[in-house]
Amino acid sequence: MENNVKPANGKLGILIPGLGAVATTLIAGVEAVNKGLSQPIGALTQMGNIRLGKRTENRYPKIKDFVPLANLNDVVFGGWDVYADNVYDAAMKAKVLEPGLLNSVKAELEAIVPMTAAFDKSYAKNLDGTNVKEGTRYEMAQALMQDIETFQEEKNCDRIVVLWCGSTEVYFEESDIHQSIEIFEQALQDDDKRISPSMLYAYAALKLGIPYVNGAPNLTIDIPALVELAKQTETPIAGKDFKTGQTLMKTILAPGLAARALGVKGWFSTNILGNRDGLVLDDPDNFKTKEVSKLSVLEDIFQPEENPELYGDLYHKVRINYYPPHGDNKESWDNIDIFGWLGYQMQIKVNFLCRDSILAAPVALDLALFVDLAKRAGMSGIQEWLSFYLKSPQTAPGLRPEHDIFKQLMKLQNTLRHMMGEDLITHLGLDYYQDLVELL
Amino acid sequence: MENNVKPANGKLGILIPGLGAVATTLIAGVEAVNKGLSQPIGALTQMGNIRLGKRTENRYPKIKDFVPLANLNDVVFGGWDVYADNVYDAAMKAKVLEPGLLNSVKAELEAIVPMTAAFDKSYAKNLDGTNVKEGTRYEMAQALMQDIETFQEEKNCDRIVVLWCGSTEVYFEESDIHQSIEIFEQALQDDDKRISPSMLYAYAALKLGIPYVNGAPNLTIDIPALVELAKQTETPIAGKDFKTGQTLMKTILAPGLAARALGVKGWFSTNILGNRDGLVLDDPDNFKTKEVSKLSVLEDIFQPEENPELYGDLYHKVRINYYPPHGDNKESWDNIDIFGWLGYQMQIKVNFLCRDSILAAPVALDLALFVDLAKRAGMSGIQEWLSFYLKSPQTAPGLRPEHDIFKQLMKLQNTLRHMMGEDLITHLGLDYYQDLVELL
Amino acid sequence: MENNVKPANGKLGILIPGLGAVATTLIAGVEAVNKGLSQPIGALTQMGNIRLGKRTENRYPKIKDFVPLANLNDVVFGGWDVYADNVYDAAMKAKVLEPGLLNSVKAELEAIVPMTAAFDKSYAKNLDGTNVKEGTRYEMAQALMQDIETFQEEKNCDRIVVLWCGSTEVYFEESDIHQSIEIFEQALQDDDKRISPSMLYAYAALKLGIPYVNGAPNLTIDIPALVELAKQTETPIAGKDFKTGQTLMKTILAPGLAARALGVKGWFSTNILGNRDGLVLDDPDNFKTKEVSKLSVLEDIFQPEENPELYGDLYHKVRINYYPPHGDNKESWDNIDIFGWLGYQMQIKVNFLCRDSILAAPVALDLALFVDLAKRAGMSGIQEWLSFYLKSPQTAPGLRPEHDIFKQLMKLQNTLRHMMGEDLITHLGLDYYQDLVELL
Amino acid sequence: MENNVKPANGKLGILIPGLGAVATTLIAGVEAVNKGLSQPIGALTQMGNIRLGKRTENRYPKIKDFVPLANLNDVVFGGWDVYADNVYDAAMKAKVLEPGLLNSVKAELEAIVPMTAAFDKSYAKNLDGTNVKEGTRYEMAQALMQDIETFQEEKNCDRIVVLWCGSTEVYFEESDIHQSIEIFEQALQDDDKRISPSMLYAYAALKLGIPYVNGAPNLTIDIPALVELAKQTETPIAGKDFKTGQTLMKTILAPGLAARALGVKGWFSTNILGNRDGLVLDDPDNFKTKEVSKLSVLEDIFQPEENPELYGDLYHKVRINYYPPHGDNKESWDNIDIFGWLGYQMQIKVNFLCRDSILAAPVALDLALFVDLAKRAGMSGIQEWLSFYLKSPQTAPGLRPEHDIFKQLMKLQNTLRHMMGEDLITHLGLDYYQDLVELL
């Protein structure tokens, strides 16, 4: 199968709707890494190893030396935003990275100016940018396709991926117009309000056979219409909602508790953050979208229906508080009420002083590079093996998502091994001891 | 292969050196469970499920319904201790379980009176019990074998396992007398001081072909002499040091950080506890044994030699403080200094208000039941698949131990599947999507 | 002045509107203390000392040996509630105290059955009790006065105090009918909805010359009409909102930061609790009343108008979350963003695992005993010296309340010294060193 | 009395033994403040207000506008150190302040070069500087006096204070040679090893009538010989051990718990820090000195002999851990086991992410300016009113120190009021309500 993955020749364009804190941190970081000023910590595609073969073989190559990924030097960035600030100005306002670092890549960042955004204020009331496209939904979708093609040509890109780093849209549910691509395209023509801005970007990308990554909890590529389009155009999709901060921690800890059959009676999670994301989520309608995404995690991991004595009464509450003094320095506090042997109670408190965009940027990078890899490997539609990076992983209809980060990692790594013709790893390892018998 | 596992007929005797907080919590708990008064939370053998086959098959049997384990109603307890208190009195002094619960199984607990212990005060200065055997090391080993046989006969047990729940002995290293069973038996005859009390128990058990579990960080069954004896008598061994509390948390969190290629600059761990274990560890020589066991964990998980930019400078410090106000309610506090994208620093603080013996008791139970299973499955020597429960898992010479609790779990589960002839699980799962292609 | 305080002869009746968690914990505790089963920890009137004279005099009597307080053996309890449970049943439902303790005073608690409450559901939507009075506001007030007099007679009480331990009512503001006792009494006759249930209790008490304590943040005795009535009938009043848990901690920590001129940029406070109080506060209208009470604290202590560089930009946010797994075991988590020398930032995190009613009960007791003392000392109207116990201390019009718990304590202690004719303490103490000069 | 305080004319020299993290942070900060680049947050002498008169008078002047303090523009710094680095280089190595800030005052800092230190390695084994004086103790003391006089002349200083900011010396106790100035001077001549380096600095200062502040827990000016010398030369002294970080927090929280008569069963305090101070304290002999200073605090505040039911069983443990990843960013974690009404237990956890030198620098500044004020006010010997700033406040023989930071603040403020002829404040405030009576 190894021969089936096409090499990563030429340039890869990463086009980003939403040039805010996450996107500017990603772009500035890649530029700084390319200049040798810093390291892409947190990105498996850049820093991660993968074990191959038996433990005794000692084969731990870097992932980037194992699978053919686009090189960071071949990446070109562009994007859209409702605010007209170039990436340097936007990064300065986001206050994630230090001015010293930003100034060292100032020219590169200033050169990236957002294209006008497809926007509908009813989907994000707390935003009020003016760098937006005019016209119906159909016209905006056409304009986005034109934007992509112009960018690809001007920047001489071999391949493109589209990576949503924009805000969380308000909560709404699937309706009939989302059920097939045929009806969806008709609704586009009708300028139907139930098509969100993020769907326009996804539609434009998929129509052109360009992979799409959904970094927010928005309802976008999970509608049947766009899954169908992805299959038609043989395009990989990955979503949704970058898994960072508290949810990352939750999908690390919860599998550990479940592994040991420790009961959980309550899990209270609160967050304080003061960036634009926090401001948008201060609106209850937008918070609803995020809350649904955050709440689903524990249910999958604990499977209360299989383990009612342990997890049947779990009370799970998630809060996000807008707290300007912290800026992008998101902080989470979790109280977990567990019980063990004979029902005796214990508590775990986790206080994570994190940085929202610092955690999100490498996740965004990995997803972009991996969907590009998937495209070259001939994989299309939902890429469940990328669940590792996502709060609400998209799966085949009828298949429950896997939230346990360690099963997700196993899935990701075994997919890469499978792609390259290496043996899958099961951690059985009884053979080490059969050898031992003979030695003694 | 399924047919090769012998059924768990008749009674299983669990003989425990060290009838302190952990052992009495285990025994009282099993009696309470057998009376229907409580639940064995935290024990995978009793509460845990295992997935079999594909996700869409929805097969999640209880482990105890999948592999032939001894039933809790068939378990009989006995043991040795330097203090002569029966198990009821010892449990009351340990103050782990509430008097109400203990009184409901008082008769059963009072009936278990410790046999005289093989002891040498130079291995645990802070203990001063008088319920001890006289004689040379050789004589004590003979007496222990006699104790085991008498117990088995009197209680009409089909099978026995020996489960060390005693204190941590002082730190010392392997020497020449530990290198082969022949030299070891000569040293026994010579009453050589380098043979620790715990080695006497292990020797007695293994000589009789009885599985041995080491719940403390002591140097015992990890010496070549006893590994050799285990192979000779075709006996499974599992060690060492029950993984509970802070180290449990560490082997949950560290794999999560490593999974995401997040760097770690420092990890400071402190503990406060006020039980007898805390008192013994207040002696620096005994703490040394525990410290070595606790420190090794991170190095294996992070593999700094493979990831020098991420983990090359990790400063790891572990402290244990004797703090009487907390009794058995051990509490840990960890500060973890991590760094992400471009080296930006973040911090994680974990405060675990746990209960030492409540976490240890189900681990002890699972290990006892699983080594008994291993014996019936014809497995002997080091049981690496039980690493899941241990702070310092024993491995074949030259093989680095696996500390990542999720890989350990995968190993345990795939071993059970393998034992029963089920497919191993790899979490690849690409086939779900190949079906999907056809459906669309 | 000493001679002017009348002795505490005879019985003191404490009548409590709201026989919920706090009241039942108070009553059960006093009964247990009177039987010698437990200690009234947390009550200054019972456990506290007071320094008299110079440090070198070593005079530290118990407060109860210094001022003439009612003896606990002379206290008789009664009350009103919308639920008809007797105090034993209510205490069992509240799950604050252990059944063992409650059973030891079962007879005493069962004997206390709530009188029908004056209630209006629009002031507490989440309550639905049926043990309520019929009639207009005027009729209910008359009935309450009758209840008090009947109780006093039946129980042979020398004196009575009324102590509000009921729920937090919805937020509303003073209006014209609250401005004088004359208009207020007219509004009573008119059954005016702007008179809250708690005002009926306060009116009934004050009309009879009975001291009234307001343990909730309700607008009650702080309206001009009732202050006027208190002066007319020469009755002491104390309010409002028992200071426990997070606000207690806040009024301890904030003065410490202010003492050192450390700046504060943000203070985020969150709470999780699962008792009936938590349920009532889950309604935003009731939370508003509590929020106003909790938010005012920092502003007074930091005085941003005097210290704009240090406290001018302080962002203060308070959250309360209903979290059933914790029951009455309220838990608070505070994040405080401070800055020091040259503006460098630091953080303080406080996690208080408290018990709501355990903290409130001794506060309620002290207030009841102290307003009774005040009455006998001839003090009437607002008792600012009791600010020590209150989240929103009532003060003379135009006088800013003092929230610093240490100034409040000094005020309380110097008031007691003043009452008994002792020297006030200033902590100057230069004289110790003038003596020293002579000695050398 | 106001007229008796001499004005602060001319320059004030602050001479500092130990130009490490604290001293360089202080000096750089004062220079930055004088240039208008930053603010002296945390210094009461610069930022603090003081209330004068009744609350209704609204008189809250800045302390520096109320008492005649030296102006920061008139302060000149100098000092001694065992390392020869100038203050700029030392500050860069200390890594407390950002390079940008240090560079803005580089010229001023480079101009301050340490004089050779009086040193004896047996008092601080982990230090190995070479910028040290030769000769006997007597000769070193003479040399220090010469250093001071030369500095005063060259810098044209009107007045001098000496401020110890050096390391913690090893623990030792008073002996006969410390009992009177006559014996002490003979021991100096004999080069007696029991005279520590810090005593040489104190002796030199006091002999010249120069105030001395002891910022470390060393045994220095608390020996009778030096107290006697201070009285002879009419010189104020203040010590010992700057109160910052965890002990600051402890003397804020403990008075709050005591105020409410809440019991305390245990208090566990741990610290992690990675600066030179942490390195020195990694030696058990030096830690002993610090431990004694830190442990005494709670006993004074809780007075267990007066309150045995509340504090008689308090278990107090303090740990300091050298943890290089944190550098000067000291972090403390406290677990406090308290109990309330009827003995029910609760817990408080405080996690203080502080910065050691940022907290210490303004304390050092205030002490220097206040001892200079004391000298001009004609006060001499022990200045107990400066206890506010100190972990182990020095008091008159036989007088227990006051550790409650709020009583210390009251003492400090009332001393200033007394010095300037203002009324002392008692917080009685009954008069506000007597006026009220008349108004109604």
Side-chain angles (χ1 to χ4, degrees), chain C residues 76-117:
Chain C
V76 185
F77 290 100
W80 300 265
D81 203 277
V82 299
Y83 297 100
D85 293 326
N86 66 47
V87 168
Y88 175 79
D89 291 339
M92 288 298 281
K93 285 184 186 164
K95 288 188 184 153
V96 177
L97 300 177
E98 284 156 21
L101 182 73
L102 292 176
N103 287 331
S104 69
V105 292
K106 185 172 182 180
E108 291 80 354
L109 301 190
E110 282 184 335
I112 306 172
V113 178
M115 299 178 275
T116 53

Side-chain angles (χ1 to χ4, degrees), chain A residues 296-349:
Chain A
S296 61
V297 165
L298 292 187
E299 198 159 342
D300 167 69
I301 293 173
F302 289 131
Q303 304 199 332
E305 70 286 2
E306 300 291 338
N307 304 283
E309 308 96 328
L310 298 176
Y311 309 114
D313 295 325
L314 170 55
Y315 188 94
H316 185 199
K317 196 158 194 167
V318 177
R319 285 289 168 266
I320 297 181
N321 298 284
Y322 181 52
Y323 179 70
H326 267 21
D328 192 71
N329 292 341
K330 192 171 177 176
E331 175 170 354
S332 64
W333 182 76
D334 284 79
N335 168 65
I336 316 167
D337 288 289
I338 68 172
F339 54 98
W341 188 241
L342 314 179
Y344 277 70
Q345 296 185 23
M346 297 170 280
Q347 296 182 38
I348 303 169
K349 322 278 178 186

Side-chain angles (χ1 to χ4, degrees), chain B residues 45-83:
Chain B
T45 55
Q46 309 306 308
M47 309 291 294
N49 301 64
I50 185 164
R51 172 183 147 197
L52 300 177
K54 291 168 60 65
R55 263 187 286 173
T56 44
E57 295 178 31
N58 275 317
R59 287 200 291 151
Y60 294 97
K62 292 269 176 215
I63 285 174
K64 66 178 177 182
D65 299 329
F66 174 55
V67 289
L69 295 172
N71 190 298
L72 287 195
N73 285 302
D74 295 326
V75 167
V76 186
F77 289 101
W80 300 265
D81 203 277
V82 299
Y83 298 99

Side-chain angles (χ1 to χ4, degrees), chain D residues 128-378:
Chain D
D128 55 2
T130 56
N131 190 46
V132 296
K133 292 192 192 304
E134 304 283 314
T136 67
R137 277 160 166 73
Y138 177 78
E139 289 162 352
M140 288 196 282
Q142 295 300 318
L144 289 171
M145 282 188 263
Q146 188 57 53
D147 287 348
I148 295 171
E149 287 174 338
T150 305
F151 178 88
Q152 180 158 16
E153 197 167 323
E154 286 183 357
K155 302 294 180 183
N156 191 24
C157 291
D158 188 67
R159 304 171 319 283
I160 300 280
V161 299
V162 172
L163 176 69
W164 176 274
C165 292
S167 294
T168 298
E169 296 175 328
V170 295
Y171 184 76
F172 67 103
E173 296 184 2
E174 265 182 37
S175 55
D176 53 344
I177 61 148
H178 303 120
Q179 299 308 312
S180 79
I181 185 62
E182 189 181 351
I183 310 176
F184 182 87
E185 291 191 325
Q186 181 58 51
L188 255 189
Q189 298 273 7
D190 301 342
D191 198 20
D192 192 306
K193 283 264 170 196
R194 290 169 293 180
I195 296 179
S196 65
S198 66
M199 288 175 186
L200 297 178
Y201 289 95
Y203 173 78
L206 297 178
K207 195 78 180 176
L208 297 172
I210 287 171
Y212 186 90
V213 173
N214 181 10
N218 305 333
L219 183 70
T220 308
I221 47 174
D222 25 15
I223 59 172
L226 292 177
V227 174
E228 186 186 346
L229 179 59
K231 295 305 295 185
Q232 275 179 10
T233 61
E234 298 189 341
T235 315
I237 54 178
K240 64 186 187 186
D241 208 2
F242 297 143
K243 180 155 81 177
T244 57
Q246 189 174 57
T247 305
L248 169 62
M249 199 55 69
K250 205 171 267 180
T251 63
I252 290 170
L253 281 173
L257 300 174
R260 279 292 181 93
L262 292 166
V264 183
K265 198 175 133 202
W267 195 310
F268 176 77
S269 297
T270 196
N271 289 276
I272 50 181
L273 85 166
N275 60 10
R276 201 204 288 176
D277 196 23
L279 180 63
V280 169
L281 293 172
D282 219 31
D283 183 299
D285 291 339
N286 297 62
F287 174 64
K288 178 76 188 292
T289 309
K290 181 62 89 178
E291 188 183 24
V292 167
S293 174
K294 285 171 94 79
L295 280 176
S296 61
V297 164
L298 292 187
E299 198 160 341
D300 168 69
I301 293 172
F302 289 132
Q303 305 199 335
E305 70 285 2
E306 300 292 339
N307 305 284
E309 307 95 329
L310 299 175
Y311 310 113
D313 295 325
L314 170 55
Y315 187 94
H316 185 200
K317 197 158 191 167
V318 177
R319 286 288 168 266
I320 297 181
N321 298 283
Y322 181 53
Y323 178 70
H326 267 20
D328 193 72
N329 292 342
K330 191 170 175 174
E331 176 169 355
S332 63
W333 183 75
D334 284 79
N335 169 65
I336 315 167
D337 289 288
I338 68 173
F339 55 98
W341 188 241
L342 314 179
Y344 276 70
Q345 296 185 23
M346 296 170 280
Q347 297 182 37
I348 303 169
K349 322 277 178 188
V350 182
N351 184 207
F352 189 1
L353 289 81
C354 74
R355 296 170 187 266
D356 207 25
S357 302
I358 292 295
L359 288 173
V363 164
L365 177 64
D366 279 3
L367 282 166
L369 298 188
F370 276 143
V371 290
D372 173 51
L373 171 69
K375 174 87 181 176
R376 284 181 282 109

Side-chain angles (χ1 to χ4, degrees), chain B residues 55-333:
Chain B
R55 263 187 286 173
T56 44
E57 295 178 31
N58 275 317
R59 287 200 291 151
Y60 294 97
K62 292 269 176 215
I63 285 174
K64 66 178 177 182
D65 299 329
F66 174 55
V67 289
L69 295 172
N71 190 298
L72 287 195
N73 285 302
D74 295 326
V75 167
V76 186
F77 289 101
W80 300 265
D81 203 277
V82 299
Y83 298 99
D85 293 327
N86 65 48
V87 168
Y88 175 79
D89 291 338
M92 289 296 282
K93 284 184 187 165
K95 289 187 182 152
V96 176
L97 300 176
E98 282 157 23
L101 182 72
L102 291 177
N103 287 330
S104 69
V105 291
K106 186 173 180 179
E108 290 82 353
L109 300 190
E110 281 184 336
I112 306 173
V113 178
M115 298 178 275
T116 54
F119 185 59
D120 177 345
K121 197 174 165 62
S122 66
Y123 280 84
K125 275 170 270 178
N126 289 356
L127 294 185
D128 56 3
T130 55
N131 189 47
V132 297
K133 293 192 193 304
E134 302 285 314
T136 66
R137 276 160 166 73
Y138 177 78
E139 290 161 352
M140 288 195 283
Q142 294 301 318
L144 289 171
M145 282 187 263
Q146 188 57 55
D147 288 348
I148 294 171
E149 288 174 337
T150 306
F151 179 87
Q152 182 158 13
E153 197 169 324
E154 287 182 356
K155 302 294 180 183
N156 191 25
C157 291
D158 186 68
R159 304 171 319 282
I160 300 280
V161 299
V162 172
L163 177 68
W164 177 274
C165 293
S167 293
T168 298
E169 296 176 328
V170 295
Y171 183 76
F172 67 104
E173 296 184 2
E174 266 182 36
S175 54
D176 53 345
I177 61 148
H178 302 121
Q179 300 308 313
S180 79
I181 186 61
E182 189 181 351
I183 309 175
F184 182 87
E185 290 190 328
Q186 181 58 51
L188 256 188
Q189 298 273 7
D190 301 343
D191 197 21
D192 191 306
K193 283 264 171 198
R194 289 169 293 179
I195 296 179
S196 65
S198 65
M199 288 175 186
L200 298 178
Y201 289 95
Y203 173 79
L206 297 179
K207 195 78 180 175
L208 298 171
I210 288 172
Y212 186 90
V213 172
N214 181 10
N218 304 333
L219 183 69
T220 308
I221 45 173
D222 26 13
I223 60 174
L226 293 178
V227 173
E228 185 186 345
L229 179 60
K231 295 306 293 186
Q232 275 181 9
T233 61
E234 298 189 341
T235 315
I237 53 177
K240 64 187 187 187
D241 209 2
F242 297 143
K243 179 154 82 174
T244 58
Q246 190 174 56
T247 305
L248 169 62
M249 198 55 69
K250 205 171 267 180
T251 63
I252 292 170
L253 281 173
L257 300 174
R260 280 293 182 93
L262 291 166
V264 183
K265 197 175 136 202
W267 194 311
F268 175 77
S269 297
T270 197
N271 290 276
I272 51 181
L273 86 165
N275 59 11
R276 200 204 288 175
D277 196 24
L279 181 63
V280 169
L281 293 172
D282 220 30
D283 184 300
D285 291 338
N286 297 63
F287 174 64
K288 178 76 189 292
T289 309
K290 182 63 92 179
E291 189 183 24
V292 167
S293 175
K294 287 170 93 75
L295 280 176
S296 61
V297 165
L298 293 186
E299 198 160 341
D300 168 69
I301 294 173
F302 290 131
Q303 305 198 333
E305 70 285 3
E306 301 291 338
N307 303 283
E309 308 95 330
L310 298 175
Y311 309 114
D313 294 326
L314 170 55
Y315 187 95
H316 185 199
K317 196 159 193 167
V318 177
R319 285 288 168 266
I320 297 182
N321 299 283
Y322 180 53
Y323 178 70
H326 266 21
D328 192 72
N329 293 342
K330 193 170 175 175
E331 176 171 355
S332 64
W333 183 75

Side-chain angles (χ1 to χ4, degrees), chain C residues 370-389:
Chain C
F370 276 143
V371 290
D372 173 51
L373 171 69
K375 175 86 181 175
R376 285 182 281 109
M379 300 162 83
S380 68
I382 299 163
Q383 302 299 307
E384 199 196 339
W385 63 288
L386 296 175
S387 296
F388 177 71
Y389 295 108

